[in-house]
Amino acid sequence: MLGGYGGFGARIARRLAAAGHEVLVAGRSREKAERFCEGQPSLTPLGLDRDLGLAAALAEHRPFALIDAAGPFQGTGYDVAQACIAAGCHYLDIADGREFVGGIGVLDEAALAAGVAVIAGASSVPALSGAVVRELAVGVERISAVEMAISASNRATAGPSVTKAIFSYIGKAIPLWRGRRPHTGHGWQDLQRLDFSITGEATLRGRVVGLADVPDLALLPERLPGRPAVTFRAGTELAVQNLALWLASWPVRWGWLADLSRFVPLVLRAQKLTSGFGSDRSGMMVRLFGLAGGRRVERRWTLIASGGDGPEIPGLAAAILVDRLAAGSIAPGARDAGELLALAEFEPAFSALAIRHEATEWPQPAALYERVLGARFLAMPASVRAMHGVLRDDGASGRGTVTRGNNPVARLVAAVFGFPAEGEHVLHVSFTEKDGAETWTRDFSGNRFTSELSQHGEHLVERFGLLRFGFHLEADDRGLAMHLKRWWLGPVPLPLALAPRSLAREWEADGRFQFDVPIALPLVGTVVHYRGWLERK
């Protein structure tokens, strides 16, 4: 095992030895390996530099499998895996590098020819996370979003490799799939504060997590029905640490710094100084939103590790997979670990540790437009209903035509609200839903403007900044019409006589969702008029 005396490697080595395996504990420091193996007859120390002499060591010792727990894997190649293939031994790693794990399939042909398995990502992601998601997805016909988070105990301090891996992407662009199209986030931004809760356990409250770059962001949208939006956030227990990383992410995002790698030694020292704060409890959460039997649901899996057992979790998948390789139940070839294990296979290890987990299902309320319209919602054409059935995340693409008013006041208003330029446009609309409200981001050939929609009594309310507009909705088998009935500046109602003139319409033609939205001002005339079509794909 490479990195066999490191933070995660040591735990995997002990676990394998306890299961009856003979383990070569390898690393650059023979002295550290000897200290770690002392008094443990199933563990044998080996001084080995992965960059020098790996092929010779494999030829000499002829291991059944090699586990690479050294890392970091971001920005590295497949030299170790290729050496294993050449030596005819199985290969596993605990990589969480998105490109490294996602690209392991390039070795498939060589691994098949050698008759060995090459498995990347045998860790919390994507092995455990993938197992959880597949368990939650049973019986869900269309998944709209998957949201994952890990919050580590402050006493489970990250080692140099993990810290280097995290710092390699803080502030960097992270490709995401949101709104049913490619999207860009940034490492350790988009912060959220989450509670991790399990029946009978004290809740982990207010844990701050930020956007992390993991293989699941690329793997899961392609593997799940509905091609859902996928996000993954991570964080340490202490909010101040996450806020510091968030602040540090901005100079990287702005291009002032290439990355934060130079600060890793400083951060490791700071971790030691603060290790006495916080608790020994860690959490992991996976939330899946979708339609199950036509019902709008959130399925949630939550894990809480106590007693300092959280750091054991990243090593569980590797140990399970070694047993399966020994049993001959994994076919040769190169693949990521995201589809290899079932959640039940982790249960014996969870039960032996201070780890509890729980899956729950939460019914989700009807979509916003359905709540406002009631029974009338079902009368509308199918494509109109589908466009307004937003659950957590959705999107649609099409074409739009924009006409702008020529009055100087109209041009000023259009500029303030960010309305698109006149002409023909490629159009995409992203929808996000949270707590019953929706955010619509309309993208006309790169010109974006956003509004927020919610319910106010019998009205649908759309907010642009401080201005809110209340609409009465009419719906029948021909489509939907939106009549402006009220408007406000902040909490202050404004006279309807001064309100913009707008009668938005939606209908179906040629199997597509069609829309027509004119906006005019009294005495000014047309501000903007956009119309076109959209499709959900």
Side-chain angles (χ1 to χ4, degrees):
M1 172 179 292
L2 290 177
Y5 51 77
F8 294 134
R11 291 177 170 87
I12 298 172
R14 293 191 190 101
R15 186 168 295 278
L16 290 171
H21 297 284
E22 297 292 328
V23 184
L24 285 170
V25 176
R28 288 188 171 93
S29 173
R30 170 83 185 198
E31 182 182 353
K32 290 181 180 180
E34 289 176 345
R35 283 203 304 267
F36 173 71
C37 295
E38 187 175 356
Q40 302 180 79
S42 294
L43 302 180
T44 301
L46 178 64
L48 177 63
D49 187 329
R50 63 188 293 161
D51 300 322
L52 298 170
L54 178 59
L58 291 172
E60 177 184 354
H61 296 282
R62 302 185 63 80
F64 168 71
L66 179 146
I67 301 175
D68 190 350
F73 297 91
Q74 284 79 357
T76 61
Y78 298 119
D79 293 350
V80 175
Q82 289 169 328
C84 290
I85 292 172
C89 81
H90 300 297
Y91 165 89
L92 303 91
D93 62 48
I94 60 170
D96 62 359
R98 176 180 183 151
E99 293 183 2
F100 183 95
V101 174
I104 198 69
V106 300
L107 302 180
D108 188 54
E109 185 176 345
L112 286 169
V116 299
V118 172
I119 302 170
S123 189
S124 302
V125 293
L128 174 56
S129 55
V132 172
V133 169
R134 288 198 310 282
E135 181 81 11
L136 296 178
V138 172
V140 182
E141 56 264 24
R142 185 177 185 275
I143 301 170
S144 58
V146 176
E147 300 173 5
M148 297 173 281
I150 289 178
S151 175
S153 157
N154 186 55
R155 299 178 190 174
T157 54
S161 293
V162 174
T163 304
K164 288 177 184 176
I166 293 171
F167 275 44
S168 71
Y169 63 76
I170 289 178
K172 297 283 189 69
I174 296 179
L176 301 172
W177 180 257
R178 287 183 179 173
R180 305 191 63 77
R181 73 165 181 175
H183 181 82
T184 301
H186 290 84
W188 231 265
Q189 298 195 352
D190 198 9
L191 296 183
Q192 285 191 358
R193 189 180 290 273
L194 300 177
D195 294 339
F196 296 76
S197 180
I198 288 179
T199 303
E201 287 280 324
T203 298
L204 308 183
R205 295 194 182 278
R207 294 287 184 97
V208 176
V209 289
L211 192 62
D213 195 11
V214 297
D216 306 65
L217 300 177
L219 298 175
L220 290 179
E222 304 299 327
R223 293 176 173 174
L224 296 172
R227 205 178 185 200
V230 177
T231 55
F232 190 98
R233 293 179 175 87
T236 60
E237 178 181 2
L238 300 183
V240 65
Q241 294 175 341
N242 297 290
L243 291 173
L245 292 179
W246 175 79
L247 287 171
S249 73
W250 287 101
V252 177
R253 180 171 178 176
W254 293 331
W256 298 354
L257 294 174
D259 58 46
L260 299 179
S261 300
R262 72 187 75 175
F263 300 107
V264 169
L266 177 64
V267 169
L268 292 174
R269 288 196 294 271
Q271 284 181 336
K272 291 181 181 179
L273 293 174
T274 61
S275 61
F277 297 96
S279 71
D280 59 4
R281 305 178 75 218
S282 302
M284 179 173 178
M285 187 190 308
V286 179
R287 305 174 71 186
L288 181 147
F289 298 83
L291 297 177
R295 297 177 298 113
R296 295 162 56 90
V297 298
E298 175 197 341
R299 291 181 175 175
R300 183 183 302 184
W301 179 84
T302 308
L303 173 150
I304 293 178
S306 304
D309 281 348
E312 294 286 344
I313 296 171
L316 299 182
I320 296 168
L321 287 168
V322 167
D323 287 339
R324 286 194 45 192
L325 285 169
S329 65
I330 296 179
R335 62 188 74 86
D336 68 82
E339 296 185 298
L340 288 179
L341 296 175
L343 182 56
E345 294 180 83
F346 290 88
E347 185 55 42
F350 288 162
S351 299
L353 297 165
I355 292 175
R356 294 197 59 207
H357 64 104
E358 177 180 78
T360 54
E361 181 174 289
W362 305 66
Q364 297 298 287
L368 172 61
Y369 276 71
E370 185 174 0
R371 297 199 310 273
V372 176
L373 286 167
R376 294 173 294 160
F377 183 82
L378 297 177
M380 296 191 299
S383 64
V384 180
R385 294 199 310 272
M387 199 63 63
H388 293 298
V390 181
L391 176 58
R392 205 64 176 182
D393 186 278
D394 213 333
S397 298
R399 302 284 300 184
T401 301
V402 177
T403 304
R404 292 276 291 265
N406 293 320
N407 187 290
V409 175
R411 290 200 298 269
L412 176 62
V413 171
V416 169
F417 283 89
F419 292 137
E422 185 163 323
E424 297 288 329
H425 294 274
V426 175
L427 173 62
H428 182 88
V429 183
S430 297
F431 312 98
T432 59
E433 177 269 334
K434 185 176 181 181
D435 299 329
E438 296 179 6
T439 300
W440 289 31
T441 301
R442 305 158 183 86
D443 185 333
F444 287 80
S445 301
N447 186 325
R448 298 173 183 169
F449 67 101
T450 297
S451 64
E452 297 179 5
L453 295 89
S454 59
Q455 184 177 9
H456 183 83
E458 62 180 13
H459 292 129
L460 179 82
V461 174
E462 185 167 18
R463 182 172 70 85
F464 293 87
L466 292 175
L467 288 173
R468 293 182 297 141
F469 303 91
F471 295 92
H472 170 70
L473 304 184
E474 289 185 358
D476 56 29
D477 58 358
R478 293 170 296 177
L480 177 71
M482 300 174 59
H483 299 269
L484 182 62
K485 295 296 184 180
R486 304 178 65 185
W487 69 314
W488 302 264
L489 177 62
V492 180
L494 298 176
L496 189 59
L498 300 179
R501 306 294 186 252
S502 179
L503 177 58
R505 296 188 180 276
E506 301 172 355
W507 68 97
E508 182 179 296
D510 302 323
R512 289 172 170 169
F513 171 86
Q514 311 281 334
F515 63 90
D516 187 287
V517 182
I519 300 174
L521 288 174
L523 305 178
V524 172
T526 297
V527 174
V528 68
H529 184 178
Y530 53 94
R531 52 199 180 276
W533 57 269
L534 291 166
E535 286 182 324
R536 295 165 75 232
K537 297 182 179 179

